[in-house]
Amino acid sequence: MPNRLSGEKRQKVRRVENAQGKHNIMAKYTVDAIRNIAFCGHKSAGKTTLVDRMLTSTGAVSRLASVDDGTSICDFDEEEKTHRYTIESSIVHFDFEGTRFQILDTPGYPDFIGQTIGTLRAADNMAIVINAQAGIEVNTRRVFNEAGKEGLGRVIVVNRMDGDNIEFDTILSNIQELFGSCCVPMNVPVGSGQDFKAVINTLKPEGDMTGALIDPEEIHSALIEAIVSADDEVMMQYLEGEVPSEDEIKRLMVEAVKKGDLVPIFFVSAKTGVGFDEMLRGLVACCANPTQHPMKAEKEDSDEMVEIAANPNGPLAAQVFKVRIDPFVQRLSYMRIFSGKMTKDMNLSIVGNRKGVKIAQLYLVQAGETVPVDEAGPGDIVAVTKCEDLGVNMSIGEYRFAPIPFPTPMVGLAASPKTRGDEAKLSTALTKLAQEDSTFRRELDPQTKEMVIYGMSELHLTVLRERLKRRDKAELETREPKIPYRETIQINAEGMYRHRKQSGGRGQFGEVHIRMFPFPLEETAESFATKDRFPSLKETHYDPDNHFLWVDSVVGGAIPGNFMPAIDKGFRERLERGVIAGYKVQNLCIEVHFGKYHPVDSSEQAFKMAASMAFRNVFQTAKPTLLEPIVKLEVTVPGDKLGDISSDLSGRRGRVLGMASAGGELQTIAAEVPLAEVSTYARSLASITGGQGSYTIEFSRYDVVPGNVVKEIVEKSKVEEEEEEE
Ligand SMILES: Nc1nc2c(ncn2[C@@H]2O[C@H](COP(=O)(O)OP(=O)(O)OP(=O)(O)O)[C@@H](O)[C@H]2O)c(=O)[nH]1
Ligand SMILES: [Mg+2]
């Protein structure tokens, strides 16, 4: 069965939906019947298998699905089918006992964490899936923390309970040791492995309890205690012996999960289905509906934060959290609606963009398939097609939502088209990739004029190249990783440059006098450009991307104002191409304080050249150096490998920040390491630990490169300064 909708199949879906009168989702559900939950966790925990099963067992999809034979509903992408793991997040929906579930299946590989983080914006809750056979793994803790940052309520799903050699007590104590005693089972398994046959509810333990792996009555008290701790008054009454009513428990359970006082645990097997319906009922009971998880946003023209209530009659407020470019349905922009109504032929206004966007069609998504709808409301997750202007992070309506905190991609490769003449095709394809994947970026290397692509890891870039090849018929040739060094200065310096050229006709004359200062990151343009420092300050120009500031304090018209834009241009070009080794310049302030011009022979070109050369010459006398990206590396390994790991890290100029238990035998070691030293870390870690370790990399900051290393880099990158004169 094809996974994407062909034109014919799309028509069929539309007819079916209309026949059932389902095309208006708002007419069918109230907001409080919706549960939006992201399924996250370590790779292979069984997230996709769980979500596929939700769709088949509730009848939302009427075919069998399996990751292992490439028929998964959520892993529908060609690359996912080939690799048998999730690369892109999928959004699906189904109904269960009167509740509307919208589930986000996310990748467990840290290489694709951008997809996970993007989808959290659409969720109100996170289910952290743990593989019962493997226990807590490195990405388990990472996603647990990400949920905290986004303010999502958390539940834990321990999956694969049908597997061999499961140590129930160890799993439970490891979870509680790492995430706290707030983690309490909502159901207790009866038997494990092949004998995992049932679960017993701990909120209302009843029936035959023989074979339960832990006493459900005992867990019941711990559960009630965690629930009542969400309300001080109820807690006091409880301690005095008063049992809270069922309604009270129901209300407080969601509160407790939202506050993190309770993290319910469910034991299931996605393969056999044991514990499945109990888990779904538990999710209905514990997870916040959209009205219980209002998002914060700023009104367009003010910086006051307000809470956006999930009100169907309120103003429209939504945010784009994902873009996917599908060869059949073209470009899809996925949005979470927080308030108001969106209709299929609406003109959307976008915050910060005067031009609105006309919706071509509004869709509900079921992983790779789309179902047209007329209207959607708060809590709904919908997609629109062909809206080129609707990019990730954009806020729709009058409220501005905070940008999604995507990690910065740090692993770079110099890239060029495999076939000459493919440049234009490749450029279009890479633009598409960057729109879909907020952890992919490309830049032109100012030194070599080569294109450099950046991703989260080697694996991430490999998968993206596969997609380019399959979808866009564009092949890339890549070369050794490029490190995005930056150039800067360490002391103040000053000087001037006179550009004078007599070539036939009119001469060219421009003279620029400058002072140069290190401009520390902690300073802002306002704090640095004071009258004390620059007594005749007239104007400041700040470039936040490079943390570059230049100050115009020229007096008496020594340089006429109409040449200032040319000076600005000269500085900016130099910033991009660097001075000592061809890297971008940052953390620098220049004061232009004097100059000379000629009424006939001065030109913009002459002043641009003079500015660029003055920059270059003075920079060279200001103790120039290189900055390198430092990353925070978190490595999780079996405890007995800690020694080998830390000595390997110190060999890479790394600095260990700390160690902590990551549950059970696992230890996590956090270190700061120069990016240049970790481009091949995946391979080394695998050989040290025999494949038992995993790691995450996150950009931390730029720091000064040690002197001997600077020399090496500068030598290697000696460029011919073609345009230098005289
Ligand atoms: N025995 C058993 N195997 C399971 C169960 N759930 C999943 N699996 C198997 O575990 C493997 C990984 O399952 P996935 O559903 O792809 O895991 P995932 O968490 O989505 O993995 P990523 O997409 O890489 O993050 C597959 O071979 C599944 O068949 C389960 O409950 N029991
Ligand atoms: Mg998956």
Side-chain angles (χ1 to χ4, degrees), residues 43-49 68 85-86 108 159-160 162 270-271:
K43 64 184 184 200
S44 286
K47 300 176 288 296
T48 304
T49 309
D68 302 308
Y85 52 68
T86 306
N159 183 38
R160 301 179 65 155
D162 60 299
K271 268 272 152 76

Side-chain angles (χ1 to χ4, degrees), residues 284-551:
V284 175
C286 296
C287 289
N289 70 51
T291 66
Q292 293 162 321
H293 179 238
M295 275 292 286
K296 288 207 169 71
E298 286 169 9
K299 184 96 179 141
E300 188 164 8
D301 299 320
S302 95
D303 49 11
E304 193 197 338
M305 276 289 194
V306 288
E307 269 194 359
I308 309 291
N311 178 0
N313 302 317
L316 177 63
Q319 189 177 23
V320 180
F321 65 93
K322 176 180 165 79
V323 163
R324 186 166 72 85
I325 295 162
D326 183 298
F328 296 99
V329 236
Q330 304 173 17
R331 187 189 148 114
L332 284 163
S333 304
Y334 295 73
M335 292 178 280
R336 158 75 194 255
I337 302 174
F338 294 102
S339 153
K341 269 183 217 159
M342 194 179 282
T343 49
K344 69 172 182 183
D345 42 14
M346 210 172 190
N347 261 321
L348 300 180
S349 48
I350 301 174
V351 176
N353 185 346
R354 248 178 289 143
K355 238 175 52 189
V357 166
K358 173 99 174 71
I359 301 184
Q361 181 56 273
L362 191 61
Y363 290 107
L364 257 183
V365 275
Q366 191 71 296
E369 308 198 342
T370 49
V371 181
V373 283
D374 293 345
E375 192 176 86
D380 284 332
I381 301 174
V382 288
V384 298
T385 41
K386 299 184 205 160
C387 290
E388 301 302 322
D389 293 332
L390 276 182
V392 171
N393 270 331
M394 281 183 184
S395 303
I396 289 143
E398 302 159 18
Y399 292 93
R400 186 194 307 276
F401 294 93
I404 300 168
F406 291 106
T408 314
M410 294 310 298
V411 175
L413 286 175
S416 53
K418 203 162 195 172
T419 321
R420 280 189 134 210
D422 264 3
E423 284 78 5
K425 186 162 92 178
L426 189 67
S427 167
T428 318
L430 290 176
T431 305
K432 280 205 253 173
L433 269 194
Q435 289 170 351
E436 287 177 291
D437 187 337
S438 303
T439 56
F440 169 78
R441 114 188 113 88
R442 62 179 168 147
E443 271 180 12
L444 207 61
D445 185 313
Q447 172 198 350
T448 58
K449 305 280 182 265
E450 277 176 325
M451 182 175 50
V452 187
I453 56 173
Y454 291 97
M456 296 302 293
S457 67
E458 283 175 288
L459 177 66
H460 181 210
L461 289 173
T462 304
V463 167
L464 292 182
R465 282 170 64 190
E466 289 169 9
R467 179 176 304 161
L468 278 181
K469 187 173 166 189
R470 174 187 56 85
R471 184 181 69 186
D472 306 292
K473 312 280 175 287
E475 281 196 66
L476 269 185
E477 201 150 73
T478 55
R479 284 170 303 286
E480 68 176 83
K482 293 273 166 186
I483 305 298
Y485 293 108
R486 297 283 184 260
E487 299 187 3
T488 196
I489 56 165
Q490 301 178 90
I491 56 168
N492 299 349
E494 62 182 303
M496 58 78 90
Y497 191 84
R498 175 180 302 155
H499 177 82
R500 178 200 273 155
K501 212 169 203 173
Q502 220 78 43
S503 52
R506 234 171 75 179
Q508 287 206 32
F509 182 88
E511 187 174 312
V512 174
H513 293 233
I514 63 171
R515 297 189 186 103
M516 210 175 251
F517 309 84
F519 178 30
L521 267 183
E522 312 77 74
E523 298 268 10
T524 61
E526 289 73 36
S527 73
F528 199 78
T530 56
K531 279 272 180 193
D532 278 351
R533 189 175 268 125
F534 308 112
S536 41
L537 180 148
K538 278 178 9 204
E539 218 177 345
T540 59
H541 306 259
Y542 178 60
D543 164 9
D545 290 341
N546 300 304
H547 195 53
F548 170 73
L549 172 72
W550 79 270
V551 176

Side-chain angles (χ1 to χ4, degrees), residues 89-109:
S89 294
S90 286
I91 296 109
V92 302
H93 60 270
F94 61 90
D95 302 331
F96 175 78
E97 298 178 353
T99 298
R100 172 66 150 192
F101 275 91
Q102 299 190 97
I103 303 287
L104 304 130
D105 175 34
T106 68
Y109 275 80

Side-chain angles (χ1 to χ4, degrees), residues 651-663:
R652 296 172 187 271
R653 298 194 278 128
R655 193 167 64 89
V656 172
L657 302 173
M659 297 186 200
S661 159

